Amino acid sequence: MILPVSNLKNSINFSANSGNEENKKSLDYDHDTLLHNDIVTRTRIGIDKLTNAATLYPAKGLKGSKNANFYEFLTMGMVPYLTGSAMLMAVFNAADKFYQPFARTKASELGKKMALGVVFYGLAKSISKSLISTPVHMMTGIDIERPYAKVIYELPDDVNDTDITSIEYHKVFESVEFPRWDLLYGDEAKGEKRNYRYDRIAKKLGMGHDLNDSDQEVKSRIKEIIIKASLAKNISSYLWAATGVALAFQKTWNNFFNVMTFKFWKPKEFGKTLQSFGKNFVKSAKALYKGEGEGLQKHAGKMLIGAALLSSVLGIINTMSSSKKPSKVDAADVIKKDDRYVVN
């Protein structure tokens, strides 16, 4: 019997010296594994991807490795994104020393606000996605951000190469056309019901409970939810990012810049920085909402905040709406017992 590669539990070694146990690499995962969607896992995945994007993946590309793939190409995009953000943050602050004292003060204020705007842009764009995914998960049981570790068996670059496996981090619903349905089935060896995740989703979606084939019943509905939720995340995340930039350019942040320090080894001064940040964040949010000037300028902040909130709310409502709800038509409404039916 020929088994698929994903079912092989032991490390595969193509080395000529395959009998030497010291040459074998211990893997974190020996098959594709569903991961928990928590802050610890997300942080670990982010650090691992960033480290590989800055070291391993560029090296493989430069030497023309046959194992370089599209996942590694996309992951390396993190490096220019962070580098460009750092350059944008430094562009004003690095040149202000060449200005006259008065101009230097103004340039310094603007440069610091630009740096804060870059930080708020990235944070707001990332965090705002949970405003869609978390409510959808709570109402449907579908975690659209659920990660998993994919084991890749690479081709050996050398006859004595034993390190031929790598780990990629993907999301279960990364592909709408080809989701990893198999990872959502329960492990019967551990005493889990095969369809327990699909049963929970079917119950939350109002499709009934104790269904014979709950997985087949809910898959089309899950796809619809994933498509709508992805659209909602893309729209709302940019509106929240714009709100973050507008928040960073409020005048109240000047008070924070006067006491700001990154010397965390001085707890008293660093504590004042954190305290000042919290106070000025609240003041800046109020200032953005109240606005300044007259007419459209005064209400621009309200409009931006309202548009961001509305995009999240409408995105959730649209995601939860569906034309594929269970039919309420009963058999008695279709077949009339008093009529005669002829079957040819």
Side-chain angles (χ1 to χ4, degrees):
M1 179 180 180
I2 300 177
L3 297 177
V5 173
S6 60
N7 289 335
L8 298 179
K9 301 295 183 182
N10 298 323
S11 299
I12 298 178
N13 194 329
F14 291 103
S15 171
N17 189 19
S18 59
N20 188 352
E21 293 296 329
E22 295 181 356
N23 289 335
K24 293 186 178 180
K25 177 187 177 183
S26 60
L27 292 174
D28 294 332
Y29 311 98
D30 56 4
H31 62 288
D32 293 358
T33 306
L34 192 66
L35 303 177
H36 294 290
N37 187 13
D38 52 44
I39 185 65
V40 175
T41 303
R42 291 195 298 269
T43 301
R44 181 170 57 83
I45 290 175
I47 293 174
D48 185 77
K49 292 177 71 172
L50 180 59
T51 303
N52 288 333
T55 57
L56 179 62
Y57 297 160
K60 290 174 67 175
L62 289 172
K63 71 178 183 180
S65 173
K66 51 193 170 186
N67 292 308
N69 57 31
F70 192 58
Y71 168 84
E72 297 176 0
F73 168 76
L74 292 178
T75 305
M76 284 191 291
M78 299 171 65
V79 176
Y81 182 85
L82 294 175
T83 304
S85 298
M87 292 180 65
L88 185 60
M89 294 168 68
V91 65
F92 259 75
N93 300 298
D96 61 3
K97 60 184 179 181
F98 299 105
Y99 302 148
Q100 295 297 322
F102 179 77
R104 183 185 308 162
T105 302
K106 295 298 182 182
S108 177
E109 290 180 1
L110 180 58
K112 290 175 181 177
K113 287 181 179 179
M114 286 184 64
L116 192 62
V118 171
V119 174
F120 279 3
Y121 176 91
L123 290 176
K125 190 171 183 293
S126 177
I127 296 174
S128 64
K129 294 180 180 180
S130 62
L131 298 178
I132 302 295
S133 59
T134 300
V136 169
H137 186 200
M138 294 173 63
M139 290 186 288
T140 67
I142 303 170
D143 188 354
I144 60 179
E145 302 291 339
R146 188 69 183 267
Y148 74 94
K150 182 179 180 62
V151 179
I152 303 296
Y153 295 94
E154 301 180 338
L155 298 172
D157 290 320
D158 185 79
V159 67
N160 294 318
D161 190 6
T162 61
D163 184 9
I164 60 168
T165 53
S166 65
I167 303 297
E168 296 180 358
Y169 295 101
H170 296 270
K171 294 179 181 178
V172 174
F173 300 109
E174 191 173 76
S175 170
V176 178
E177 292 298 325
F178 303 102
R180 288 300 303 270
W181 301 118
D182 56 306
L183 296 177
L184 297 180
Y185 289 106
D187 189 348
E188 295 177 323
K190 296 180 180 179
E192 298 174 345
K193 290 181 61 177
R194 175 174 171 79
N195 283 353
Y196 82 94
R197 290 191 180 93
Y198 294 106
D199 291 339
R200 184 171 60 225
I201 293 172
K203 185 176 181 180
K204 282 183 172 288
L205 291 177
M207 302 178 71
H209 59 278
D210 296 330
L211 302 177
N212 292 330
D213 298 298
S214 59
D215 55 337
Q216 301 303 319
E217 295 287 343
V218 302
K219 283 181 179 179
S220 61
R221 183 75 175 96
I222 290 175
K223 282 189 174 183
E224 181 185 15
I225 289 173
I226 297 302
I227 293 171
K228 290 182 176 182
S230 298
L231 175 64
K233 286 194 302 179
N234 289 335
I235 294 175
S236 65
S237 64
Y238 284 104
L239 287 172
W240 281 112
T243 304
V245 174
L247 183 66
F249 275 83
Q250 300 305 304
K251 294 180 180 179
T252 52
W253 285 112
N254 293 334
N255 300 325
F256 168 70
F257 296 143
N258 292 333
V259 299
M260 179 183 64
T261 179
F262 295 108
K263 298 177 180 179
F264 58 88
W265 56 88
K266 295 182 177 180
K268 188 175 181 179
E269 295 180 9
F270 190 67
K272 288 182 179 179
T273 297
L274 296 178
Q275 187 178 12
S276 177
F277 178 85
K279 289 181 179 179
N280 286 285
F281 183 89
V282 175
K283 290 180 180 179
S284 297
K286 291 180 179 179
L288 177 61
Y289 182 78
K290 291 181 180 179
E292 296 180 353
E294 297 179 356
L296 183 62
Q297 181 181 356
K298 182 175 179 59
H299 300 287
K302 294 185 184 70
M303 295 170 62
L304 183 58
I305 295 173
L309 283 170
L310 192 62
S311 67
S312 296
V313 173
L314 292 180
I316 295 171
I317 294 174
N318 181 61
T319 300
M320 295 305 300
S321 64
S322 175
S323 59
K324 299 180 180 179
K325 294 182 179 179
S327 176
K328 296 182 180 180
V329 179
D330 188 73
D333 299 326
V334 179
I335 300 177
K336 297 181 180 180
K337 296 181 179 180
D338 297 334
D339 293 346
R340 293 183 180 181
Y341 297 89
V342 178
V343 179
N344 295 327

